[in-house]
Amino acid sequence: MNPFLLGMRLLWGSGRRGRARFLLMALGSALGVACLAAVLTIPSILTAHDARTAARQPNPGTSNVLYQEFRDPYGSQPLHRVFVARKGPGPTPVPPGLERLPRAGEAIVSPRLSEVLAANPRAAGLVPGRVTGTIAPAGLGDAEDLYAYIGTTATGLTEAEELGGFGTGRPSREIVEPSTLSILRFTLGCIVLLPLVIFLSVCARLSGETRARRLAALRLVGLSVKDTLRVNAGESVAAASVGAVLGLAGYLATNEVMAHVGLPGLHWYPADGRPSVFALVACLLGCPALAWFVGQYGARRAALSPISVRRTGERKPPKKTGMLLLIPGVGVIAGYCLLSVMGRDPSGGSANAVLVPGAVLLTGAGLVFGLAPITAWLARRLAGAAKSLPMALAMRRTEVDPGSSLRVATGLVLLIFGASLTQGVLVELDQVSRSTKPVQEYGLPFSHLSAGQQREVTEVAGVRTHVMTSRSWSAADEMDAPSTYAVVATCQQLAVVVEKVKGCIEHKVLRIKDENFSIDAESVPGRSFPFLLSNGRKLDVTVPETSVAVRAYQPSNFSEPSLLIPPSLIPHGLVLAEGRLVLASDADPATIRSVLDGIGAIAPTSSVDPVGIVIDALAQLTVIRSLLVVGMVLGLVIGVAAFVVSVADRAMERRGQVTALALLGARAGTLRVVQVVQVSLPLVVGLGAAIVTGWLAESSYLITGGGAVHWDWEGLPLLFACALGVLLAAGVASVPLVRRHIDPEHIRRD
């Protein structure tokens, strides 16, 4: 009989337990394949987005159409507008998603921008003209894209170019920069793909001891070694194949739903998230291939030494060679940390791009393969010193079978290790996308704001204070006349927007002396400067002798002013006509996005200068955060699933041993304590090592990145809290797996 068919007949003939095991293996594989498909399609989603944005990009050339692009922030989102004007009759280039270019006075907008215009009448100034249609998906990056083609006349364009056509090989602005995308892929591989391989291996080894005894019996009755291995691998491959199909079907259904819901900063069309040929091959063939390999390896002992399996012979201790991977991995990341402590900067070298990822992979592999020998050695030491029966039983069992701890704890250990790397990536990207000062400023010209809008933007949630800044007025024929720059604020407002202030006096004009800048040579005590008010009159301010010492953040609107004018000098209801309204808020990304969105809703046509921030970088950070959160969620699902499956499988496999202990007089409470200790020990060892090595790996990444932050002390409490939560949850989940009433029939051999 064919070995594969024999394996299937033995599976279905083994009763409900065998069929339940096959179902669990298939469902576990389905979950793993769904997670794998999700990770593999993330680059496809980003590539599809960039391909569409590249296809719509206007190029200069020769035609009868002039164009001019504008890219402005609308709240925390980028708004892209393309103004087009015909010079004469004739054919015109047409971008993807449009049937024709709009004529003068017409506008064609994206569906999302159409919704914004309908919900916020104030935003109508962003799109002058009558909206005559919407852009099809082929001309949009995603469903939330704010994009518009606006028809105008040639005289309405200030810096126009002739339009040659649309489409380039590469978009000018990618949703995620290539260098950042490489980091993102590596991080997702560490927090999802590595635990996924462990999880699929666990699913392929369900009921390993029972299956090994069954295979040993087949070997003893005359089945060859090769056929014995094929019988076991056939069952694993069949379960993995069924699971792969179910997993792909589940992912496709989830993609259709998530494409309409989206993630913060990232939306896509359903077709973008459908697996590519490579992803299909990896899911449909990779999972069964891994199951085949695991099945071959798991059955080798039963095929080569069936007597020792049937008689439960003494097992060999785990090999310690896996621990050797920790030496070069930890050595490299600890070396970078040591260089930073010594005051040397190892960033900028090309070797860092190879050494740091390589060291991270070696450290992660060392945590996986070194966990079993370390746990066995520690269990042997604790068993010798144990004074209580539960501790002695738990440690002796862990010493004899440390491989089971590898299956139970590895997924969760890798999750904590990956969480450290994720924190490092977010810290590094956060430094790149914005300044590190604790206060964020937003400058809005008064000429773009009505009196009502001025009042409303100062009341936006998250805004801590507001001040006015302006350069002194000079006549058109007096361009060389002395001028200065002033800030209108109270002492309390000034203290919010600068790092340090000393010697401030309320209701009095003061000279500003910044510790980091030389004194303004034009701002001489006794000289007067006029400032234009919004009612057309001028306010003359004389430079006093008294000064206030400040230290402004960098960059900032307050590193230039030479005069501090109290608001009491400005008549009620008036502002400095040539100045700007400067709002200040906390600098965390969530607050920044909230304030920008609030400003965009109140004054959509106003030019906003978020000092030190690039809107595209802020949008990119939002996308990366969303993808990393998805990766962490997938890693958490995989780690928890691997733990649940492994602990349940161990409980089922050890029912005979638990029954024997119960018949010898062991109480149910004792057995539960043994079960909890057996699960907790490898987790304590693994999670402790993951926190230490993960934090060192994160620090080495930050050090070689060249940013201002090298040590993420704020992330350590979170890692400890996560590890403690995992440990408590694992202990609680282990208690119900020891039943009160145990059937003595479980002692029988298969």
Side-chain angles (χ1 to χ4, degrees), residues 622-659:
T622 304
V623 173
I624 294 172
R625 283 182 181 275
S626 298
L627 294 177
L628 289 179
V629 167
V630 170
M632 289 299 298
V633 170
L634 293 178
L636 178 62
V637 170
I638 293 169
V640 172
F643 169 78
V644 172
V645 170
S646 299
V647 172
D649 184 48
R650 288 179 72 241
M652 294 292 291
E653 288 288 279
R654 294 191 57 237
R655 285 186 302 178
Q657 299 168 2
V658 172
T659 302

Side-chain angles (χ1 to χ4, degrees), residues 401-605:
D401 187 19
S404 61
S405 64
L406 187 67
R407 292 194 296 159
V408 172
T410 301
L412 297 175
V413 169
L414 288 178
L415 178 64
I416 297 298
F417 181 73
S420 299
L421 296 178
T422 303
Q423 288 185 160
V425 172
L426 291 176
V427 169
E428 182 71 16
L429 293 175
D430 197 39
Q431 294 181 85
V432 174
S433 64
R434 66 181 181 90
S435 61
T436 56
K437 62 181 184 179
V439 176
Q440 178 58 47
E441 302 168 19
Y442 315 84
L444 296 88
F446 280 116
S447 58
H448 293 181
L449 299 172
S450 66
Q453 288 174 328
Q454 295 172 22
R455 182 182 65 259
E456 290 181 38
V457 295
T458 59
E459 298 172 354
V460 169
V463 173
R464 294 175 56 187
T465 190
H466 64 279
V467 299
M468 288 186 282
T469 61
S470 178
R471 182 162 291 281
S472 59
W473 178 85
S474 59
D477 56 350
E478 299 178 353
M479 299 302 295
D480 296 332
S483 65
T484 190
Y485 198 64
V487 55
V488 180
T490 64
C491 292
Q492 183 179 2
Q493 291 172 327
L494 184 65
V496 173
V497 296
V498 299
E499 184 178 1
K500 178 182 177 182
V501 58
K502 183 179 180 181
C504 187
I505 304 174
E506 292 284 7
H507 308 296
K508 185 175 182 180
V509 178
L510 300 172
R511 293 180 70 196
I512 296 178
K513 293 183 179 180
D514 195 316
E515 296 179 2
N516 298 321
F517 296 90
S518 58
I519 298 177
D520 184 5
E522 302 287 348
S523 183
V524 179
R527 177 178 289 176
S528 295
F529 293 94
F531 290 87
L532 184 65
L533 298 175
S534 54
N535 63 355
R537 296 184 178 182
K538 300 178 184 65
L539 174 69
D540 291 322
V541 179
T542 302
V543 180
E545 292 283 352
T546 311
S547 63
V548 55
V550 303
R551 182 167 63 207
Y553 295 108
Q554 296 297 326
S556 172
N557 282 291
F558 307 103
S559 57
E560 298 182 21
S562 300
L563 284 176
L564 175 64
I565 302 175
S568 56
L569 288 185
I570 308 295
H572 181 71
L574 300 181
V575 296
L576 301 180
E578 296 182 345
R580 298 201 302 173
L581 175 63
V582 179
L583 310 177
S585 74
D586 293 332
D588 60 283
T591 302
I592 293 173
R593 281 191 292 270
S594 175
V595 172
L596 285 173
D597 289 338
I599 296 173
I602 295 170
T605 58

